[in-house]
Amino acid sequence: PGSTSVSPAMSDQQQPTADDLLVCDVTTGLCGTDRTETRRVTVTYVTDPICSACWVMEPAWRTVQFRYGDLLDVRHVYGGLLPSWDGFADAGNGIAGHGDVAEHWREMAEHTGQALNVSVWDADPIMSSFPPSIVLAAAREVAPDLAEVALRKVREELFVHGRNISRPQVWSAALHAAGIDPALVEAGLRDGWARDLFAADLQLARSLRVSAFPTVIVEADGDRTTLRGVQSLSRLEDVITAAAGVRPTPRTATIDEAVTFLGVGTTAEYSALTGRSAAQTELALRSAGLTARALPGGNAWTP
């Protein structure tokens, strides 16, 4: 019992491969292999670039990607949160117009600890989330490998820097930072196919019966789990690892790894990724030379 050696009496067919882990039960003394077949996991993430709840889930989402990104095929679908303010109201959150959003975002930031810039709603309020959604649908088409990065950079413009992501100069800068030529997206806007891609996203979201953002649909081998609303790291991890057929491996990043992976990030994001407390995280980030920006809910950090 407790030994991991292989008995010479085992046949070649019985010999464990390098992919097997030979384990022994300390209670029964029985030994064998603990092997699961890893599956690719498809994640459909229905979202919107101005979705504050989606931003609140970034610490968990980014950490899951750091730990299990090699198992995931992720596609973001843009579901159209705000067509316009005409007739729009969110009574549950006390929002009747764009003038009410800043206070709602501030409350979310302070409640969750995810730093969030609310200044856009006073300085240059967003009139519709459709324009940046169309841009991101086009970015996904012209540079699918960079689609996730493009969404993140657009979100940073809004939630960290407080800029109106409907403005061409803002989303162009975000795409450039993501490594995408904005001219390729501009061609889609000019020729109309970018709007068609977004229309297809809206239709897909309806067919999936999406009623809230974020909605994360996890699929593997015909099995599907739908997660609605902000999810904790543990919940996301449990669903994704179960779908992949692997055990949770809560790997934590070093500060250097986290800075390379995140770049611009909040205290909450860096803390989730490194497994440190907020105070420990901020001390380490300052020591690493990052610059802090105070926002409702906490700090945002720039290398």
Side-chain angles (χ1 to χ4, degrees):
S3 172
T4 58
S5 62
V6 179
S7 169
M10 294 177 69
S11 69
D12 289 341
Q13 287 184 334
Q14 291 172 315
Q15 293 283 350
T17 69
D19 293 330
D20 294 322
L21 174 64
L22 189 63
V23 296
C24 300
D25 189 303
V26 296
T27 302
T28 66
L30 299 176
C31 300
T33 58
D34 176 32
R35 183 176 182 178
T36 57
E37 184 177 348
T38 302
R39 297 180 292 272
R40 295 293 301 176
V41 177
T42 299
V43 178
T44 303
Y45 187 163
V46 188
T47 186
D48 187 280
I50 73 167
C51 169
S52 55
C54 302
W55 180 252
V56 164
M57 198 170 74
E58 282 288 272
W61 175 246
R62 302 276 278 172
T63 301
V64 161
Q65 287 185 307
F66 176 78
R67 294 177 181 175
Y68 308 104
D70 59 331
L71 303 176
L72 306 179
D73 296 319
V74 180
R75 178 182 175 87
H76 287 85
V77 174
Y78 298 101
L81 176 61
L82 178 67
S84 75
W85 286 106
D86 293 337
F88 180 90
D90 182 356
N93 290 310
I95 298 173
H98 60 75
D100 302 318
V101 180
E103 184 58 30
H104 172 59
W105 280 20
R106 185 177 291 106
E107 290 173 356
M108 287 188 66
E110 293 172 353
H111 176 70
T112 63
Q114 169 70 329
L116 198 163
N117 195 328
V118 306
S119 64
V120 70
W121 298 108
D122 294 324
D124 187 13
I126 297 168
M127 294 293 106
S128 171
S129 68
F130 280 31
S133 296
I134 294 168
V135 165
L136 287 165
R140 186 187 61 210
E141 178 73 11
V142 302
D145 292 343
L146 296 173
E148 176 88 28
V149 183
L151 173 58
R152 173 65 189 199
K153 292 302 180 183
V154 167
R155 280 182 167 151
E156 287 172 9
E157 290 291 336
L158 174 59
F159 293 110
V160 174
H161 303 298
R163 298 175 183 139
N164 186 335
I165 55 175
S166 295
R167 305 295 184 194
Q169 65 271 26
V170 176
W171 59 254
S172 292
L175 294 185
H176 182 75
I180 300 174
D181 184 354
L184 299 176
V185 171
E186 289 167 0
L189 299 177
R190 182 176 59 252
D191 298 340
W193 55 260
R195 185 174 294 275
D196 292 341
L197 291 173
F198 176 54
D201 275 19
L202 294 177
Q203 179 58 41
L204 177 57
R206 285 192 291 269
S207 71
L208 294 171
R209 301 184 184 277
V210 171
S211 58
F213 301 138
T215 291
V216 178
I217 302 169
V218 180
E219 298 177 273
D221 286 353
D223 295 326
R224 171 187 290 187
T225 301
T226 300
L227 303 172
R228 295 180 177 86
V230 178
Q231 305 296 316
S232 67
L233 172 56
S234 61
R235 176 60 172 157
L236 281 175
E237 187 170 52
D238 286 347
V239 170
I240 286 171
T241 55
V246 300
R247 291 185 175 183
T249 54
R251 175 189 170 211
T252 56
T254 66
I255 286 296
D256 288 343
E257 287 175 328
V259 171
T260 298
F261 184 77
L262 283 175
V264 174
T266 67
T267 297
E269 290 168 344
Y270 272 105
S271 181
L273 201 59
T274 62
R276 304 178 184 219
S277 68
Q280 291 171 332
T281 298
E282 296 203 335
L283 180 61
L285 291 173
R286 287 193 174 92
S287 297
L290 276 70
T291 302
R293 176 175 185 170
L295 297 172
N299 287 326
W301 298 84
T302 302

